[in-house]
Amino acid sequence: MEKILLGRTNLSVSRAGLGGGGHSRLGKGYGSSFQSSVEVVKAGLDAGINFLDTASVYGTEEIVGEAIKDRRDQVVLSTKGPVVRSGSSALGDDFQPEKDFIANVENSLRNLKTDYIDVYHLHGVMPDQYDACVDRYLPILKNLQAAGKIRYIGITERFIFDPCHEMLDRALVDDFWDVVMVGFNLINPSARQTILPLTSKNNVGVLNMFAVRNVLGNPDHLMSFVEKLIAEGQTNINRSDLDSLVQDLLAATSSGMLTESAYRFCAHEPDNQVILTGTGKIGHLHENVAAIGESELPGELRQRLEVAFGHINSVSGD
Ligand SMILES: NC(=O)c1ccc[n+]([C@@H]2O[C@H](COP(=O)([O-])OP(=O)(O)OC[C@H]3O[C@@H](n4cnc5c(N)ncnc54)[C@H](OP(=O)(O)O)[C@@H]3O)[C@@H](O)[C@H]2O)c1
């Protein structure tokens, strides 16, 4: 699998990354056993993936830790810490950032069976939390970095609630973040105009989430989703153009799967670096790794996607 240097880090990472979150959480989201989730991660490593993303709230760090315990030196580990207490919508006064946050990092290290994390992110930061995050957590992250517990510092957006990337737009004015995780897919490619020029200019690593999620998992979901966008006046595509667009997205693939088009769309966006795929199924994982390594979608099809969805920044595709 093709490897690239992740932004300004010296981490050599595979173009495809395996995500331990999303709806699947490596299968844990729909009741797979611990061992079969471990097998999904091992299959990813065997397929050439070396970038693994998880988070303390996903409940999948231990799965990842078990899968990599004999090959820690071959993988790049990305995990995240929450910036709010569960159930709280803001950074409350009772929050004890230093104590709680450091305990959380120590717990991740234990779960992952390692003594360092390659990329540690602030998880799902909303625009109104950003300044407080910088004040409260950045100094802690810097101390953890100096202590060798984390190597690089990242931040992820909450794409479902911030589909126009307001938080990352603000964060990328600062030069604090080595890596960002951004939502990007064929029905909301708005990061192309806002976030990716900034990451490229400042050599910040880019992790692409939401390439498929729910809406791009199958043609029926996409059709009914876009019908809603049409009804809301968010796109000028008409019903018959939509039918032919979806048909052509399938016809352009070697697998006949919409997911192939969705991952290819992301993989060929020039400033996207690691394309995350979230799955609990080894068959899907192999399909997705193949898709990420496939050629670019035809130019004429990309142009039609641009006309239909290029301006959309209001939905995530969840
Ligand atoms: N704010 C944040 O920090 C944040 C938020 C969201 C996600 N993330 C990270 O980004 C990663 C990727 O996001 P995501 O999990 O939503 O991934 P995704 O790859 O966009 O979508 C995954 C969904 O698509 C399905 N799927 C995958 N391959 C398929 C295939 N070949 N055919 C049919 N269905 C398929 C999966 O179900 P199956 O299990 O059935 O394959 C799953 O429901 C997450 O795992 C997580 O690590 C971070």
Side-chain angles (χ1 to χ4, degrees):
M1 167 148 3
E2 185 195 351
K3 289 216 176 118
I4 49 158
L5 216 49
L6 183 63
R8 62 178 71 167
T9 75
N10 68 354
L11 301 169
S12 172
V13 293
S14 50
R15 288 301 314 284
L18 179 59
H23 295 297
S24 296
R25 291 188 294 129
L26 300 170
K28 197 178 157 117
Y30 39 78
S32 298
S33 69
F34 181 84
Q35 197 48 43
S36 62
S37 296
V38 169
E39 294 309 320
V40 172
V41 180
K42 287 184 171 175
L45 300 177
D46 292 342
I49 288 176
N50 79 340
F51 189 91
L52 302 175
D53 178 64
T54 177
S56 56
V57 298
Y58 296 164
T60 55
E61 286 181 329
E62 283 161 298
I63 293 167
V64 172
E66 179 64 21
I68 60 140
K69 67 180 180 194
D70 299 324
R71 33 184 171 173
R72 171 67 186 95
D73 57 337
Q74 296 163 30
V75 299
V76 173
L77 278 183
S78 157
T79 192
K80 321 181 190 79
V83 295
V84 288
R85 288 200 166 149
S86 51
S88 152
S89 60
L91 297 167
D93 289 341
D94 62 335
F95 199 73
Q96 298 181 289
E98 181 117 12
K99 188 165 155 275
D100 292 356
F101 197 82
I102 292 173
N104 202 58
V105 174
E106 295 293 350
N107 198 44
S108 291
L109 288 166
R110 265 191 306 279
N111 288 341
L112 291 163
K113 302 189 201 301
T114 185
D115 52 10
Y116 69 97
I117 290 158
D118 296 288
V119 187
Y120 196 86
H121 308 261
L122 298 182
H123 193 173
V125 177
M126 287 294 287
D128 65 350
Q129 296 173 317
Y130 179 77
D131 289 331
C133 279
V134 169
D135 289 347
R136 293 183 176 191
Y137 299 115
L138 196 62
I140 304 173
L141 289 167
K142 291 277 182 200
N143 286 341
L144 289 163
Q145 195 175 33
K149 296 195 176 189
I150 65 180
R151 295 183 68 194
Y152 298 101
I153 297 174
I155 188 163
T156 80
E157 67 180 358
R158 214 161 165 206
F159 190 44
I160 294 177
F161 299 104
D162 182 18
C164 64
H165 316 289
E166 192 183 333
M167 187 284 292
L168 283 181
D169 219 10
R170 164 79 186 82
L172 285 162
V173 173
D174 297 326
D175 199 27
F176 303 142
W177 317 103
D178 302 310
V179 179
V180 298
M181 190 181 292
V182 61
F184 179 90
N185 56 39
L186 63 78
I187 47 150
N188 179 350
S190 59
R192 177 184 293 154
Q193 275 91 37
T194 53
I195 302 308
L196 298 179
L198 297 173
T199 56
S200 169
K201 178 165 157 256
N202 299 326
N203 201 17
V204 172
V206 179
L207 310 173
N208 179 168
M209 62 177 164
F210 280 73
V212 164
R213 206 64 183 194
N214 271 333
V215 166
L216 293 154
N218 74 53
D220 292 341
H221 288 178
L222 178 59
M223 295 285 289
S224 50
F225 186 79
V226 178
E227 277 162 12
K228 263 196 271 155
L229 293 181
I230 294 171
E232 290 164 3
Q234 294 208 50
T235 173
N236 286 331
I237 190 172
N238 63 39
R239 179 59 213 244
S240 81
D241 286 345
L242 173 62
D243 280 342
S244 87
L245 181 61
V246 172
Q247 286 315 310
D248 291 348
L249 280 170
L250 300 176
T253 64
S254 50
S255 63
M257 306 282 293
L258 180 63
T259 49
E260 178 186 323
S261 285
Y263 286 116
R264 282 168 67 183
F265 178 83
C266 293
H268 288 277
E269 180 65 24
D271 295 313
N272 263 348
Q273 294 202 299
V274 174
I275 313 305
L276 292 169
T277 174
T279 185
K281 297 179 180 133
I282 291 175
H284 284 176
L285 180 63
H286 287 150
E287 285 171 18
N288 302 344
V289 166
I292 291 165
E294 269 278 359
S295 59
E296 191 165 16
L297 292 172
E300 177 267 341
L301 192 51
R302 283 185 281 124
Q303 214 153 1
R304 284 159 63 199
L305 288 170
E306 173 63 24
V307 171
F309 309 124
H311 58 286
I312 288 184
N313 68 358
S314 55
V315 294
S316 67
D318 190 41

